[in-house]
Amino acid sequence: MNVCNRFISAAASPGSLQRIAGALALAALVIGTDCLAQALKAEDEVLAENALVKLTRADYVTDLLMRVPAEMRAEFAANPTRLTMFLNTLLIDKTLAKQARDAGLDRDPEISRRLALEADRVLAVAMVGKIERDAAAEFDAREVDFLAKAREVYALNKEKYKTSEQVSASTILFDTTKRDDAAALALAKEVRARLVAGADFAKVAAEVSDDPTAKTNGGELGWFGPGKMDPAFSKAAYGLKNTGDLSEPVKSSFGWHVIRLDGRRPPREVPFERAQKQIMAELRTRYIKDAREAKLAAISHDPAMKVNQAAVDSLLVKLPEMPDPSKLPAPKSH
């Protein structure tokens, strides 16, 4: 028996919802989502039951897919408490639904209409999903055609596919969590004066910087683009004109800095081969969206549609008109 099967057996053994949830969560934690997916393949396996209903893995998976976003499912299944509550709520809902059917509530005309509308909503969502999947498959089948379109998009929008201007810089940091703000600023000014007088930046950085990496890299940060650093730091670094220029002390969220400009790279054109993946992804997303919207628009603008306008108008509720404040009598003075 492999590791995954051991967890499947543990979850299937008689016991409380908490033990079942714990086994599923442990599978997610120890083995990961691949094993959890393997465990969930046993759809008919009963997780819990009472005198009226059985809660199966298929019930759990279906409800999970409906309620929990894809990117959160592994984390969700790794929390035994949350998983136990989820399973308990699902079991309660199934039990109450069975009791409602036994009581004939599903035959009540209003409830029957509500059930039909809910079924329509589920099927509508499923149909939109099918439309999107079919469109994605059509796009993938015509990849060669869309690759030619991608080249056209690239040729017409080369400015969009350029790298931003980059700078390379070094810094000496004085952390304001280790001293008060005034003391950090005073040290930054003192160190800047030493650098202006000719002190070696890398040696000074290794000696006094509160950035621990400065001891090995001399404060060098390498190349970075806009938005990659603290805003105040980035603005100061980009504001330096020539290689070797030193900034005045700059306050960032980390403390006070003295920054040296080490180099500047102008914007560069990204070759099509590097931009291709991004452009194709954008074209695919747009193709799927257009296909979905075309299907919905065809329904909304179906020329064969008949509208009972009088009946529609009868649904409108006429609210009483609010009086014009300018026409209200002035309040009496006392």
Side-chain angles (χ1 to χ4, degrees):
M1 181 184 292
N2 65 26
V3 179
C4 287
N5 289 334
R6 285 203 298 274
F7 281 109
I8 294 172
S9 299
S13 61
S16 68
L17 279 173
Q18 189 170 11
R19 182 154 59 246
I20 294 167
L24 287 171
L26 194 57
L29 282 170
V30 176
I31 312 170
T33 55
D34 289 343
C35 182
L36 183 60
Q38 180 181 333
L40 295 177
K41 286 181 180 178
E43 292 185 348
D44 295 332
E45 193 168 21
V46 176
L47 299 177
E49 61 183 297
N50 56 29
L52 294 178
V53 298
K54 293 180 180 180
L55 175 61
T56 66
R57 288 182 183 274
D59 296 327
Y60 163 69
V61 171
T62 300
D63 210 40
L64 185 74
L65 295 177
M66 288 173 57
R67 298 179 185 275
V68 182
E71 66 274 10
M72 296 175 59
R73 287 172 198 156
E75 180 183 354
F76 180 92
N79 186 315
T81 301
R82 188 186 301 160
L83 192 54
T84 299
M85 292 175 63
F86 186 90
L87 293 172
N88 191 54
T89 299
L90 189 53
L91 182 65
I92 290 172
D93 287 347
K94 284 177 68 69
T95 303
L96 289 173
K98 178 65 167 64
Q99 291 173 343
R101 292 188 190 93
D102 291 344
L105 295 182
D106 56 328
R107 296 187 293 278
D108 178 274
E110 181 181 350
I111 293 176
S112 293
R113 287 193 293 270
R114 288 167 60 185
L115 287 171
L117 284 173
E118 287 300 322
D120 285 347
R121 290 190 182 98
V122 171
L123 288 170
V125 170
M127 190 61 201
V128 169
K130 182 180 185 305
I131 291 168
E132 292 177 343
R133 289 192 301 275
D134 289 348
E138 289 170 8
F139 183 95
D140 295 341
R142 297 173 53 200
E143 185 175 359
V144 174
D145 296 335
F146 283 104
L147 189 58
K149 176 66 176 176
R151 291 186 181 278
E152 180 183 333
V153 169
Y154 174 81
L156 295 173
N157 300 274
K158 284 193 174 181
E159 287 298 316
K160 178 181 176 181
Y161 303 105
K162 279 188 173 182
T163 62
S164 301
E165 180 187 28
Q166 292 185 318
V167 297
S168 176
S170 297
T171 183
I172 299 174
L173 168 67
F174 297 97
D175 192 341
T176 49
T177 64
K178 296 183 177 181
R179 59 186 66 82
D180 63 36
D181 192 78
L185 175 57
L187 285 171
K189 289 180 177 179
E190 177 187 325
V191 162
R192 186 180 187 282
R194 289 174 57 189
L195 296 172
V196 170
D200 182 88
F201 192 101
K203 289 182 179 178
V204 175
E207 175 189 339
V208 303
S209 180
D210 288 325
D211 180 352
T213 64
K215 295 190 182 301
T216 55
N217 63 18
E220 289 186 13
L221 299 175
W223 294 97
F224 56 89
K228 299 299 184 181
M229 296 290 185
D230 174 275
F233 184 97
S234 185
K235 181 179 179 181
Y238 270 86
L240 297 171
K241 300 299 182 186
N242 302 307
T243 299
D245 283 356
L246 295 171
S247 72
E248 295 293 335
V250 177
K251 178 78 177 292
S252 79
S253 56
F254 301 99
W256 285 94
H257 301 261
V258 176
I259 305 169
R260 183 186 68 190
L261 181 66
D262 296 334
R264 187 182 294 273
R265 286 177 181 166
R268 291 181 297 171
E269 187 174 291
V270 175
F272 174 75
E273 289 69 25
R274 284 182 55 195
Q276 174 183 332
K277 184 176 180 180
Q278 176 188 344
I279 299 172
M280 288 292 283
E282 291 170 352
L283 289 176
R284 192 175 191 269
T285 298
R286 190 185 312 157
Y287 187 84
I288 294 169
K289 179 183 177 183
D290 289 348
R292 179 181 66 245
E293 292 184 349
K295 292 284 188 181
L296 300 182
I299 297 171
S300 297
H301 301 96
D302 183 355
M305 184 191 303
K306 297 178 181 179
V307 178
N308 184 345
Q309 194 60 49
V312 172
D313 291 342
S314 71
L315 300 177
L316 292 171
V317 176
K318 294 184 178 179
L319 298 174
E321 292 186 7
M322 297 296 292
D324 186 344
S326 64
K327 297 180 180 179
L328 293 175
K332 295 180 179 180
S333 58
H334 297 284

